[in-house]
Amino acid sequence: MTRPTRTQPIPPIEVALGARTYRILITSDDPAPFGPFLRESLDASWAGRACRNALVVADSGSRPHVDPLLPALAAHGIEPRLHIVPAGEPSKSIEQAERLWEALAAMKADRHAAVVAVGGGVIGDLAGFAAATYARGLPLVMVPTTLLAMVDSAVGGKVGINLPQAKNIVGAFHQPAAVWIDTASLATLPVREFRCGLAEVVKYGVILDADFFADLERDVEPILAHDPATLGALIARCCALKAQVVSQDEREESGLRAVLNFGHTIGHAVESVAGYGGRYLHGEAVSIGMVLESTLAERLGWIGPDVTDRISALLQRFGLPTVLDGTEPAMLLEAMTRDKKNQHGAIRFVLPTRLGSVTLTDAASVENVLSVLATRRASPE
Ligand SMILES: NC(=O)c1ccc[n+]([C@@H]2O[C@H](COP(=O)([O-])OP(=O)(O)OC[C@H]3O[C@@H](n4cnc5c(N)ncnc54)[C@H](O)[C@@H]3O)[C@@H](O)[C@H]2O)c1
Ligand SMILES: [Zn+2]
């Protein structure tokens, strides 16, 4: 990564989607450009200059980061109304979505009113879902405040809520009109959540960009120390990679967007067997999933052990778990066979063919998968 200094602003990143093209602006502790950026982005969206009010959605964790945004909105002719949602995954529910619809109705929102989602993936997915559905679609502004949301969920347009039966099962594709990222908001994020975001960061290196992976290996210390220039460059790189994938396969139709699922077939199974809100957070389960799926690629003869060793070593340096502790392989396999990505009964995986490149495959046999799930890989260090 070339590291811009604090005085060197990061150029906006464009997510090229024809008429739905939008920009991601990354700053560090500088709220001043927020108002003009927002006004310009909304003016360019279907809301047009008629956007005069906004529902600002946050939870208790992201609430402190809303304060600098409210006066900026008001100064640009957009009257804000604040709506606080309980923190946590259970808020991705139809009940919370209904409260948002009611708040929009109470402010007499028309199609020009904006929804501003300030928070992690839960707030982005929930508020984005309300924006996608109210009046058949309101302009959405994403202000991600967790690392995971900055590098992943705020970009790409997937929004949704959960049912007790399945995560993210009710949702829509609804691209934001703009994404505003202030890396300084990460200062209050619990370290465990920060590390979870790093799991998704490592994923981008493995699936798309070996040079980026090597940069991460070099920059572990400044990243863990929250060096603003390093973090800004890292988030920009991830957003650019995700933007590239999303602009080529917006609705997950060609299979390209599926590359983002590396580590997630096993990761989702680990999460679901441990129970959501259980032992593993999403990023931790994905960290283990990436190491095991890379081991699976080794079994298929696609890569040598050196690739898995590098992935595992980097994740460990970021303080992430890389081995399963005692979950039954058979239970994980059962959870995987329920995965919605599977076709014709085979379990689909996204596996590395080298560092920086992956392929979607159903070539892994059940025996291979079971043996990998039983692996207790020795630490490379
Ligand atoms: N739409 C997508 O493409 C996509 C992609 C990946 C994940 N997701 C979804 O994202 C969700 C996970 O997102 P997440 O990991 O950001 O979790 P989250 O939104 O639950 O945030 C984690 C915790 O951090 C708190 N928090 C947020 N910002 C903070 C800050 N700056 N300082 C202190 N605390 C803060 C929150 O209140 C919460 O308690 C899941 O529901 C997942 O399904 C969606
Ligand atoms: Zn993920």
Side-chain angles (χ1 to χ4, degrees):
M1 280 171 284
T2 41
R3 291 184 216 154
T5 62
R6 284 192 87 121
T7 48
Q8 232 180 339
I10 300 169
I13 296 151
E14 191 177 83
V15 186
L17 287 165
R20 293 181 306 289
T21 294
Y22 57 96
R23 289 177 306 155
I24 305 164
L25 197 59
I26 301 170
T27 63
S28 176
D29 209 12
D30 180 15
F34 175 70
F37 172 67
L38 187 84
R39 186 78 253 182
E40 217 176 274
S41 302
L42 288 172
D43 286 357
S45 79
W46 73 92
R49 290 178 172 266
C51 181
R52 295 263 171 266
N53 55 359
L55 186 68
V56 180
V57 186
D59 65 16
S60 53
S62 62
R63 173 69 187 83
H65 304 292
V66 169
D67 289 333
L69 309 181
L70 298 179
L73 283 162
H76 286 80
I78 299 168
E79 190 191 330
R81 179 188 170 117
L82 185 59
H83 183 101
I84 302 294
V85 170
E89 188 69 27
S91 282
K92 275 174 58 176
S93 65
I94 194 68
E95 291 79 16
Q96 291 300 334
E98 190 176 3
R99 287 190 193 171
L100 287 177
W101 292 325
E102 279 164 2
L104 287 161
M107 62 190 256
K108 300 194 174 19
D110 63 13
R111 290 202 69 227
H112 302 286
V115 171
V116 182
V118 185
V122 165
I123 292 300
D125 282 11
L126 170 70
F129 178 68
T133 45
Y134 190 85
R136 297 189 187 81
L138 302 182
L140 170 67
V141 176
M142 290 292 207
V143 182
T145 63
T146 65
L147 183 59
L148 178 135
M150 292 176 184
V151 300
D152 191 358
S153 60
V155 176
K158 280 191 184 177
V159 296
I161 56 173
N162 305 325
L163 285 184
Q165 296 86 340
K167 263 195 80 171
N168 298 323
I169 199 72
V170 180
F173 285 99
H174 188 67
Q175 298 293 344
V179 181
W180 167 265
I181 297 176
D182 183 349
T183 60
S185 57
L186 296 173
T188 57
L189 190 67
V191 64
R192 195 172 167 202
E193 297 286 352
F194 183 71
R195 288 177 179 154
C196 281
L198 289 174
E200 306 283 357
V201 170
V202 169
K203 180 188 79 176
Y204 285 108
V206 178
I207 64 174
L208 292 165
D209 193 336
D211 290 343
F212 179 49
F213 189 94
D215 289 349
L216 293 171
E217 290 176 317
R218 181 195 65 199
D219 288 343
V220 168
E221 281 172 23
I223 290 167
L224 292 177
H226 284 233
D227 172 65
T230 310
L231 278 188
L234 171 153
I235 293 163
R237 187 84 156 255
C238 294
C239 286
L241 290 168
K242 182 146 186 192
Q244 202 184 315
V245 171
V246 167
S247 56
Q248 290 175 67
D249 184 18
E250 184 183 5
R251 291 177 167 251
E252 209 161 335
E253 286 157 347
S254 74
L256 179 65
R257 195 165 172 159
V259 300
L260 299 169
N261 290 323
F262 170 61
H264 282 64
T265 307
I266 293 180
H268 282 148
V270 168
E271 254 185 310
S272 99
V273 170
Y276 292 101
R279 189 152 33 123
Y280 296 113
L281 295 175
H282 175 73
E284 294 165 345
V286 168
S287 175
I288 293 167
M290 287 192 287
V291 173
L292 291 178
E293 290 180 15
S294 183
T295 309
L296 186 57
E298 277 178 48
R299 296 284 156 90
L300 296 177
W302 289 13
I303 53 170
D306 53 311
V307 174
T308 318
D309 285 346
R310 275 180 78 183
I311 297 171
S312 175
L314 182 57
L315 292 166
Q316 285 177 26
R317 289 174 72 200
F318 283 143
L320 284 156
T322 52
V323 286
L324 268 176
D325 51 356
T327 314
E328 262 309 304
M331 286 173 76
L332 292 168
L333 187 73
E334 202 272 324
M336 270 181 254
T337 50
R338 283 186 264 120
D339 195 300
K340 62 186 178 220
K341 288 185 298 299
N342 297 331
Q343 285 180 354
H344 317 300
I347 302 172
R348 297 209 116 179
F349 288 96
V350 172
L351 300 181
T353 51
R354 58 180 162 80
L355 209 53
S357 172
V358 284
T359 295
L360 184 63
T361 179
D362 45 21
S365 68
V366 167
E367 292 70 34
N368 270 334
V369 177
L370 275 174
S371 93
V372 162
L373 292 174
T375 312
R376 296 286 175 271
R377 193 182 188 88
S379 166
E381 278 145 335

PDB file of all heavy atoms in Angstrom, residues 238-272:
ATOM      1  N   CYS A 238      -9.414  -2.206   0.073  1.00  0.00           N
ATOM      2  CA  CYS A 238     -10.504  -3.186   0.172  1.00  0.00           C
ATOM      3  C   CYS A 238     -11.752  -2.684  -0.546  1.00  0.00           C
ATOM      4  O   CYS A 238     -12.418  -3.441  -1.264  1.00  0.00           O
ATOM      5  CB  CYS A 238     -10.835  -3.479   1.635  1.00  0.00           C
ATOM      6  SG  CYS A 238      -9.511  -4.298   2.518  1.00  0.00           S
ATOM      7  N   CYS A 239     -12.077  -1.397  -0.343  1.00  0.00           N
ATOM      8  CA  CYS A 239     -13.267  -0.840  -1.009  1.00  0.00           C
ATOM      9  C   CYS A 239     -13.103  -0.902  -2.522  1.00  0.00           C
ATOM     10  O   CYS A 239     -14.051  -1.225  -3.244  1.00  0.00           O
ATOM     11  CB  CYS A 239     -13.504   0.611  -0.584  1.00  0.00           C
ATOM     12  SG  CYS A 239     -14.152   0.771   1.087  1.00  0.00           S
ATOM     13  N   ALA A 240     -11.897  -0.610  -3.010  1.00  0.00           N
ATOM     14  CA  ALA A 240     -11.671  -0.636  -4.458  1.00  0.00           C
ATOM     15  C   ALA A 240     -11.825  -2.069  -4.987  1.00  0.00           C
ATOM     16  O   ALA A 240     -12.413  -2.282  -6.055  1.00  0.00           O
ATOM     17  CB  ALA A 240     -10.285  -0.088  -4.786  1.00  0.00           C
ATOM     18  N   LEU A 241     -11.311  -3.037  -4.230  1.00  0.00           N
ATOM     19  CA  LEU A 241     -11.444  -4.435  -4.664  1.00  0.00           C
ATOM     20  C   LEU A 241     -12.905  -4.867  -4.657  1.00  0.00           C
ATOM     21  O   LEU A 241     -13.386  -5.489  -5.596  1.00  0.00           O
ATOM     22  CB  LEU A 241     -10.598  -5.354  -3.764  1.00  0.00           C
ATOM     23  CG  LEU A 241      -9.077  -5.224  -3.939  1.00  0.00           C
ATOM     24  CD1 LEU A 241      -8.337  -5.935  -2.810  1.00  0.00           C
ATOM     25  CD2 LEU A 241      -8.625  -5.773  -5.302  1.00  0.00           C
ATOM     26  N   LYS A 242     -13.631  -4.491  -3.594  1.00  0.00           N
ATOM     27  CA  LYS A 242     -15.043  -4.883  -3.556  1.00  0.00           C
ATOM     28  C   LYS A 242     -15.818  -4.171  -4.664  1.00  0.00           C
ATOM     29  O   LYS A 242     -16.670  -4.770  -5.317  1.00  0.00           O
ATOM     30  CB  LYS A 242     -15.677  -4.616  -2.190  1.00  0.00           C
ATOM     31  CG  LYS A 242     -17.141  -5.076  -2.169  1.00  0.00           C
ATOM     32  CD  LYS A 242     -17.656  -5.615  -0.875  1.00  0.00           C
ATOM     33  CE  LYS A 242     -19.083  -6.162  -1.073  1.00  0.00           C
ATOM     34  NZ  LYS A 242     -19.766  -6.462   0.173  1.00  0.00           N
ATOM     35  N   ALA A 243     -15.491  -2.889  -4.888  1.00  0.00           N
ATOM     36  CA  ALA A 243     -16.172  -2.115  -5.943  1.00  0.00           C
ATOM     37  C   ALA A 243     -15.976  -2.780  -7.308  1.00  0.00           C
ATOM     38  O   ALA A 243     -16.909  -2.873  -8.108  1.00  0.00           O
ATOM     39  CB  ALA A 243     -15.629  -0.684  -5.968  1.00  0.00           C
ATOM     40  N   GLN A 244     -14.764  -3.268  -7.530  1.00  0.00           N
ATOM     41  CA  GLN A 244     -14.441  -3.946  -8.790  1.00  0.00           C
ATOM     42  C   GLN A 244     -15.316  -5.192  -8.987  1.00  0.00           C
ATOM     43  O   GLN A 244     -15.869  -5.411 -10.066  1.00  0.00           O
ATOM     44  CB  GLN A 244     -12.984  -4.363  -8.671  1.00  0.00           C
ATOM     45  CG  GLN A 244     -12.205  -4.614  -9.914  1.00  0.00           C
ATOM     46  CD  GLN A 244     -10.819  -5.124  -9.485  1.00  0.00           C
ATOM     47  OE1 GLN A 244     -10.172  -4.589  -8.575  1.00  0.00           O
ATOM     48  NE2 GLN A 244     -10.375  -6.174 -10.086  1.00  0.00           N
ATOM     49  N   VAL A 245     -15.448  -5.972  -7.931  1.00  0.00           N
ATOM     50  CA  VAL A 245     -16.252  -7.198  -8.009  1.00  0.00           C
ATOM     51  C   VAL A 245     -17.730  -6.840  -8.206  1.00  0.00           C
ATOM     52  O   VAL A 245     -18.406  -7.386  -9.076  1.00  0.00           O
ATOM     53  CB  VAL A 245     -16.076  -8.046  -6.723  1.00  0.00           C
ATOM     54  CG1 VAL A 245     -17.054  -9.210  -6.692  1.00  0.00           C
ATOM     55  CG2 VAL A 245     -14.647  -8.544  -6.604  1.00  0.00           C
ATOM     56  N   VAL A 246     -18.214  -5.882  -7.389  1.00  0.00           N
ATOM     57  CA  VAL A 246     -19.634  -5.539  -7.415  1.00  0.00           C
ATOM     58  C   VAL A 246     -20.008  -4.933  -8.767  1.00  0.00           C
ATOM     59  O   VAL A 246     -21.076  -5.217  -9.318  1.00  0.00           O
ATOM     60  CB  VAL A 246     -19.965  -4.565  -6.261  1.00  0.00           C
ATOM     61  CG1 VAL A 246     -21.335  -3.948  -6.429  1.00  0.00           C
ATOM     62  CG2 VAL A 246     -19.868  -5.290  -4.925  1.00  0.00           C
ATOM     63  N   SER A 247     -19.118  -4.116  -9.332  1.00  0.00           N
ATOM     64  CA  SER A 247     -19.512  -3.475 -10.593  1.00  0.00           C
ATOM     65  C   SER A 247     -19.530  -4.483 -11.746  1.00  0.00           C
ATOM     66  O   SER A 247     -20.196  -4.254 -12.744  1.00  0.00           O
ATOM     67  CB  SER A 247     -18.637  -2.259 -10.916  1.00  0.00           C
ATOM     68  OG  SER A 247     -17.311  -2.628 -10.934  1.00  0.00           O
ATOM     69  N   GLN A 248     -18.848  -5.625 -11.568  1.00  0.00           N
ATOM     70  CA  GLN A 248     -18.906  -6.652 -12.624  1.00  0.00           C
ATOM     71  C   GLN A 248     -20.019  -7.668 -12.409  1.00  0.00           C
ATOM     72  O   GLN A 248     -20.395  -8.380 -13.334  1.00  0.00           O
ATOM     73  CB  GLN A 248     -17.567  -7.385 -12.688  1.00  0.00           C
ATOM     74  CG  GLN A 248     -16.455  -6.519 -13.237  1.00  0.00           C
ATOM     75  CD  GLN A 248     -15.116  -7.249 -13.169  1.00  0.00           C
ATOM     76  OE1 GLN A 248     -14.907  -8.227 -13.859  1.00  0.00           O
ATOM     77  NE2 GLN A 248     -14.238  -6.779 -12.317  1.00  0.00           N
ATOM     78  N   ASP A 249     -20.491  -7.776 -11.173  1.00  0.00           N
ATOM     79  CA  ASP A 249     -21.514  -8.800 -10.878  1.00  0.00           C
ATOM     80  C   ASP A 249     -22.400  -8.298  -9.746  1.00  0.00           C
ATOM     81  O   ASP A 249     -22.413  -8.853  -8.646  1.00  0.00           O
ATOM     82  CB  ASP A 249     -20.830 -10.128 -10.485  1.00  0.00           C
ATOM     83  CG  ASP A 249     -21.826 -11.261 -10.251  1.00  0.00           C
ATOM     84  OD1 ASP A 249     -22.980 -11.155 -10.711  1.00  0.00           O
ATOM     85  OD2 ASP A 249     -21.447 -12.251  -9.590  1.00  0.00           O
ATOM     86  N   GLU A 250     -23.160  -7.230 -10.048  1.00  0.00           N
ATOM     87  CA  GLU A 250     -23.911  -6.533  -9.000  1.00  0.00           C
ATOM     88  C   GLU A 250     -24.842  -7.467  -8.233  1.00  0.00           C
ATOM     89  O   GLU A 250     -24.958  -7.383  -7.025  1.00  0.00           O
ATOM     90  CB  GLU A 250     -24.712  -5.376  -9.621  1.00  0.00           C
ATOM     91  CG  GLU A 250     -25.427  -4.549  -8.591  1.00  0.00           C
ATOM     92  CD  GLU A 250     -26.282  -3.443  -9.185  1.00  0.00           C
ATOM     93  OE1 GLU A 250     -26.406  -3.373 -10.426  1.00  0.00           O
ATOM     94  OE2 GLU A 250     -26.836  -2.654  -8.406  1.00  0.00           O
ATOM     95  N   ARG A 251     -25.525  -8.363  -8.947  1.00  0.00           N
ATOM     96  CA  ARG A 251     -26.561  -9.171  -8.308  1.00  0.00           C
ATOM     97  C   ARG A 251     -26.187 -10.644  -8.143  1.00  0.00           C
ATOM     98  O   ARG A 251     -27.059 -11.510  -8.094  1.00  0.00           O
ATOM     99  CB  ARG A 251     -27.858  -9.036  -9.102  1.00  0.00           C
ATOM    100  CG  ARG A 251     -28.419  -7.643  -8.964  1.00  0.00           C
ATOM    101  CD  ARG A 251     -29.663  -7.419  -9.784  1.00  0.00           C
ATOM    102  NE  ARG A 251     -30.272  -6.182  -9.339  1.00  0.00           N
ATOM    103  CZ  ARG A 251     -31.413  -6.108  -8.644  1.00  0.00           C
ATOM    104  NH1 ARG A 251     -32.071  -7.192  -8.337  1.00  0.00           N
ATOM    105  NH2 ARG A 251     -31.881  -4.941  -8.275  1.00  0.00           N
ATOM    106  N   GLU A 252     -24.896 -10.904  -8.088  1.00  0.00           N
ATOM    107  CA  GLU A 252     -24.403 -12.261  -7.861  1.00  0.00           C
ATOM    108  C   GLU A 252     -24.984 -13.232  -8.881  1.00  0.00           C
ATOM    109  O   GLU A 252     -25.529 -14.269  -8.541  1.00  0.00           O
ATOM    110  CB  GLU A 252     -24.756 -12.707  -6.427  1.00  0.00           C
ATOM    111  CG  GLU A 252     -23.768 -13.702  -5.893  1.00  0.00           C
ATOM    112  CD  GLU A 252     -23.769 -13.838  -4.377  1.00  0.00           C
ATOM    113  OE1 GLU A 252     -24.171 -12.888  -3.688  1.00  0.00           O
ATOM    114  OE2 GLU A 252     -23.350 -14.885  -3.909  1.00  0.00           O
ATOM    115  N   GLU A 253     -24.858 -12.864 -10.155  1.00  0.00           N
ATOM    116  CA  GLU A 253     -25.423 -13.702 -11.210  1.00  0.00           C
ATOM    117  C   GLU A 253     -24.351 -14.461 -11.990  1.00  0.00           C
ATOM    118  O   GLU A 253     -24.556 -15.589 -12.405  1.00  0.00           O
ATOM    119  CB  GLU A 253     -26.271 -12.842 -12.169  1.00  0.00           C
ATOM    120  CG  GLU A 253     -27.581 -12.436 -11.532  1.00  0.00           C
ATOM    121  CD  GLU A 253     -28.209 -11.188 -12.130  1.00  0.00           C
ATOM    122  OE1 GLU A 253     -27.538 -10.453 -12.883  1.00  0.00           O
ATOM    123  OE2 GLU A 253     -29.379 -10.940 -11.833  1.00  0.00           O
ATOM    124  N   SER A 254     -23.187 -13.825 -12.195  1.00  0.00           N
ATOM    125  CA  SER A 254     -22.176 -14.463 -13.049  1.00  0.00           C
ATOM    126  C   SER A 254     -21.266 -15.399 -12.264  1.00  0.00           C
ATOM    127  O   SER A 254     -20.473 -16.119 -12.850  1.00  0.00           O
ATOM    128  CB  SER A 254     -21.315 -13.391 -13.715  1.00  0.00           C
ATOM    129  OG  SER A 254     -20.418 -12.837 -12.766  1.00  0.00           O
ATOM    130  N   GLY A 255     -21.364 -15.388 -10.956  1.00  0.00           N
ATOM    131  CA  GLY A 255     -20.463 -16.223 -10.152  1.00  0.00           C
ATOM    132  C   GLY A 255     -19.264 -15.438  -9.646  1.00  0.00           C
ATOM    133  O   GLY A 255     -18.605 -15.860  -8.712  1.00  0.00           O
ATOM    134  N   LEU A 256     -18.975 -14.265 -10.258  1.00  0.00           N
ATOM    135  CA  LEU A 256     -17.794 -13.513  -9.836  1.00  0.00           C
ATOM    136  C   LEU A 256     -17.920 -13.040  -8.386  1.00  0.00           C
ATOM    137  O   LEU A 256     -16.988 -13.154  -7.593  1.00  0.00           O
ATOM    138  CB  LEU A 256     -17.560 -12.307 -10.767  1.00  0.00           C
ATOM    139  CG  LEU A 256     -16.357 -11.468 -10.375  1.00  0.00           C
ATOM    140  CD1 LEU A 256     -15.068 -12.278 -10.520  1.00  0.00           C
ATOM    141  CD2 LEU A 256     -16.260 -10.198 -11.216  1.00  0.00           C
ATOM    142  N   ARG A 257     -19.110 -12.509  -8.038  1.00  0.00           N
ATOM    143  CA  ARG A 257     -19.292 -11.985  -6.680  1.00  0.00           C
ATOM    144  C   ARG A 257     -19.102 -13.084  -5.627  1.00  0.00           C
ATOM    145  O   ARG A 257     -18.770 -12.805  -4.475  1.00  0.00           O
ATOM    146  CB  ARG A 257     -20.672 -11.316  -6.561  1.00  0.00           C
ATOM    147  CG  ARG A 257     -20.788 -10.444  -5.334  1.00  0.00           C
ATOM    148  CD  ARG A 257     -21.978  -9.507  -5.362  1.00  0.00           C
ATOM    149  NE  ARG A 257     -22.099  -8.870  -4.051  1.00  0.00           N
ATOM    150  CZ  ARG A 257     -22.736  -7.750  -3.806  1.00  0.00           C
ATOM    151  NH1 ARG A 257     -23.342  -7.099  -4.773  1.00  0.00           N
ATOM    152  NH2 ARG A 257     -22.788  -7.246  -2.601  1.00  0.00           N
ATOM    153  N   ALA A 258     -19.307 -14.327  -6.064  1.00  0.00           N
ATOM    154  CA  ALA A 258     -19.148 -15.452  -5.133  1.00  0.00           C
ATOM    155  C   ALA A 258     -17.731 -15.560  -4.584  1.00  0.00           C
ATOM    156  O   ALA A 258     -17.523 -16.165  -3.529  1.00  0.00           O
ATOM    157  CB  ALA A 258     -19.553 -16.755  -5.824  1.00  0.00           C
ATOM    158  N   VAL A 259     -16.731 -14.975  -5.257  1.00  0.00           N
ATOM    159  CA  VAL A 259     -15.351 -15.065  -4.732  1.00  0.00           C
ATOM    160  C   VAL A 259     -15.267 -14.490  -3.320  1.00  0.00           C
ATOM    161  O   VAL A 259     -14.416 -14.881  -2.522  1.00  0.00           O
ATOM    162  CB  VAL A 259     -14.287 -14.366  -5.633  1.00  0.00           C
ATOM    163  CG1 VAL A 259     -14.270 -14.981  -7.026  1.00  0.00           C
ATOM    164  CG2 VAL A 259     -14.451 -12.856  -5.672  1.00  0.00           C
ATOM    165  N   LEU A 260     -16.188 -13.557  -3.010  1.00  0.00           N
ATOM    166  CA  LEU A 260     -16.183 -12.931  -1.685  1.00  0.00           C
ATOM    167  C   LEU A 260     -16.534 -13.925  -0.583  1.00  0.00           C
ATOM    168  O   LEU A 260     -16.405 -13.629   0.596  1.00  0.00           O
ATOM    169  CB  LEU A 260     -17.171 -11.755  -1.664  1.00  0.00           C
ATOM    170  CG  LEU A 260     -16.874 -10.620  -2.656  1.00  0.00           C
ATOM    171  CD1 LEU A 260     -18.050  -9.654  -2.742  1.00  0.00           C
ATOM    172  CD2 LEU A 260     -15.607  -9.864  -2.260  1.00  0.00           C
ATOM    173  N   ASN A 261     -17.010 -15.110  -1.005  1.00  0.00           N
ATOM    174  CA  ASN A 261     -17.411 -16.108  -0.008  1.00  0.00           C
ATOM    175  C   ASN A 261     -16.271 -17.006   0.452  1.00  0.00           C
ATOM    176  O   ASN A 261     -16.493 -17.948   1.212  1.00  0.00           O
ATOM    177  CB  ASN A 261     -18.546 -16.982  -0.558  1.00  0.00           C
ATOM    178  CG  ASN A 261     -19.832 -16.201  -0.682  1.00  0.00           C
ATOM    179  OD1 ASN A 261     -20.135 -15.352   0.149  1.00  0.00           O
ATOM    180  ND2 ASN A 261     -20.585 -16.456  -1.728  1.00  0.00           N
ATOM    181  N   PHE A 262     -15.039 -16.740   0.001  1.00  0.00           N
ATOM    182  CA  PHE A 262     -13.910 -17.555   0.483  1.00  0.00           C
ATOM    183  C   PHE A 262     -13.892 -17.544   2.023  1.00  0.00           C
ATOM    184  O   PHE A 262     -14.041 -16.490   2.645  1.00  0.00           O
ATOM    185  CB  PHE A 262     -12.576 -17.007  -0.056  1.00  0.00           C
ATOM    186  CG  PHE A 262     -11.379 -17.636   0.590  1.00  0.00           C
ATOM    187  CD1 PHE A 262     -11.158 -19.006   0.490  1.00  0.00           C
ATOM    188  CD2 PHE A 262     -10.477 -16.882   1.325  1.00  0.00           C
ATOM    189  CE1 PHE A 262     -10.057 -19.610   1.107  1.00  0.00           C
ATOM    190  CE2 PHE A 262      -9.367 -17.466   1.940  1.00  0.00           C
ATOM    191  CZ  PHE A 262      -9.168 -18.832   1.831  1.00  0.00           C
ATOM    192  N   GLY A 263     -13.730 -18.724   2.592  1.00  0.00           N
ATOM    193  CA  GLY A 263     -13.691 -18.850   4.058  1.00  0.00           C
ATOM    194  C   GLY A 263     -15.064 -18.889   4.688  1.00  0.00           C
ATOM    195  O   GLY A 263     -15.191 -19.178   5.883  1.00  0.00           O
ATOM    196  N   HIS A 264     -16.099 -18.574   3.892  1.00  0.00           N
ATOM    197  CA  HIS A 264     -17.439 -18.419   4.466  1.00  0.00           C
ATOM    198  C   HIS A 264     -18.262 -19.700   4.459  1.00  0.00           C
ATOM    199  O   HIS A 264     -19.211 -19.813   5.222  1.00  0.00           O
ATOM    200  CB  HIS A 264     -18.194 -17.295   3.751  1.00  0.00           C
ATOM    201  CG  HIS A 264     -17.760 -15.927   4.193  1.00  0.00           C
ATOM    202  ND1 HIS A 264     -16.480 -15.454   3.986  1.00  0.00           N
ATOM    203  CD2 HIS A 264     -18.421 -14.926   4.845  1.00  0.00           C
ATOM    204  CE1 HIS A 264     -16.383 -14.223   4.478  1.00  0.00           C
ATOM    205  NE2 HIS A 264     -17.545 -13.876   5.017  1.00  0.00           N
ATOM    206  N   THR A 265     -17.939 -20.674   3.579  1.00  0.00           N
ATOM    207  CA  THR A 265     -18.723 -21.918   3.580  1.00  0.00           C
ATOM    208  C   THR A 265     -18.497 -22.619   4.925  1.00  0.00           C
ATOM    209  O   THR A 265     -19.443 -22.927   5.646  1.00  0.00           O
ATOM    210  CB  THR A 265     -18.306 -22.826   2.402  1.00  0.00           C
ATOM    211  OG1 THR A 265     -18.391 -22.052   1.208  1.00  0.00           O
ATOM    212  CG2 THR A 265     -19.213 -24.034   2.294  1.00  0.00           C
ATOM    213  N   ILE A 266     -17.214 -22.799   5.260  1.00  0.00           N
ATOM    214  CA  ILE A 266     -16.915 -23.403   6.572  1.00  0.00           C
ATOM    215  C   ILE A 266     -17.196 -22.384   7.690  1.00  0.00           C
ATOM    216  O   ILE A 266     -17.739 -22.734   8.736  1.00  0.00           O
ATOM    217  CB  ILE A 266     -15.460 -23.928   6.612  1.00  0.00           C
ATOM    218  CG1 ILE A 266     -15.328 -25.111   5.642  1.00  0.00           C
ATOM    219  CG2 ILE A 266     -15.058 -24.316   8.039  1.00  0.00           C
ATOM    220  CD1 ILE A 266     -13.942 -25.737   5.558  1.00  0.00           C
ATOM    221  N   GLY A 267     -16.879 -21.111   7.446  1.00  0.00           N
ATOM    222  CA  GLY A 267     -17.096 -20.075   8.471  1.00  0.00           C
ATOM    223  C   GLY A 267     -18.555 -20.010   8.925  1.00  0.00           C
ATOM    224  O   GLY A 267     -18.831 -19.987  10.128  1.00  0.00           O
ATOM    225  N   HIS A 268     -19.476 -20.008   7.961  1.00  0.00           N
ATOM    226  CA  HIS A 268     -20.902 -19.963   8.325  1.00  0.00           C
ATOM    227  C   HIS A 268     -21.306 -21.202   9.119  1.00  0.00           C
ATOM    228  O   HIS A 268     -22.099 -21.115  10.051  1.00  0.00           O
ATOM    229  CB  HIS A 268     -21.774 -19.854   7.072  1.00  0.00           C
ATOM    230  CG  HIS A 268     -21.813 -18.466   6.503  1.00  0.00           C
ATOM    231  ND1 HIS A 268     -21.935 -18.213   5.153  1.00  0.00           N
ATOM    232  CD2 HIS A 268     -21.749 -17.250   7.093  1.00  0.00           C
ATOM    233  CE1 HIS A 268     -21.922 -16.911   4.953  1.00  0.00           C
ATOM    234  NE2 HIS A 268     -21.818 -16.300   6.106  1.00  0.00           N
ATOM    235  N   ALA A 269     -20.743 -22.355   8.728  1.00  0.00           N
ATOM    236  CA  ALA A 269     -21.075 -23.594   9.448  1.00  0.00           C
ATOM    237  C   ALA A 269     -20.563 -23.513  10.891  1.00  0.00           C
ATOM    238  O   ALA A 269     -21.267 -23.878  11.834  1.00  0.00           O
ATOM    239  CB  ALA A 269     -20.475 -24.795   8.720  1.00  0.00           C
ATOM    240  N   VAL A 270     -19.345 -22.985  11.050  1.00  0.00           N
ATOM    241  CA  VAL A 270     -18.772 -22.841  12.399  1.00  0.00           C
ATOM    242  C   VAL A 270     -19.656 -21.921  13.244  1.00  0.00           C
ATOM    243  O   VAL A 270     -19.980 -22.214  14.402  1.00  0.00           O
ATOM    244  CB  VAL A 270     -17.326 -22.285  12.313  1.00  0.00           C
ATOM    245  CG1 VAL A 270     -16.805 -21.859  13.679  1.00  0.00           C
ATOM    246  CG2 VAL A 270     -16.392 -23.320  11.674  1.00  0.00           C
ATOM    247  N   GLU A 271     -20.074 -20.804  12.633  1.00  0.00           N
ATOM    248  CA  GLU A 271     -20.942 -19.856  13.348  1.00  0.00           C
ATOM    249  C   GLU A 271     -22.263 -20.514  13.715  1.00  0.00           C
ATOM    250  O   GLU A 271     -22.753 -20.342  14.823  1.00  0.00           O
ATOM    251  CB  GLU A 271     -21.269 -18.685  12.410  1.00  0.00           C
ATOM    252  CG  GLU A 271     -20.574 -17.398  12.712  1.00  0.00           C
ATOM    253  CD  GLU A 271     -21.071 -16.293  11.791  1.00  0.00           C
ATOM    254  OE1 GLU A 271     -21.110 -16.482  10.552  1.00  0.00           O
ATOM    255  OE2 GLU A 271     -21.418 -15.224  12.323  1.00  0.00           O
ATOM    256  N   SER A 272     -22.847 -21.231  12.764  1.00  0.00           N
ATOM    257  CA  SER A 272     -24.183 -21.731  13.025  1.00  0.00           C
ATOM    258  C   SER A 272     -24.147 -22.881  14.038  1.00  0.00           C
ATOM    259  O   SER A 272     -25.029 -22.976  14.877  1.00  0.00           O
ATOM    260  CB  SER A 272     -24.901 -22.084  11.719  1.00  0.00           C
ATOM    261  OG  SER A 272     -24.854 -23.436  11.453  1.00  0.00           O
TER     262      SER A 272
END
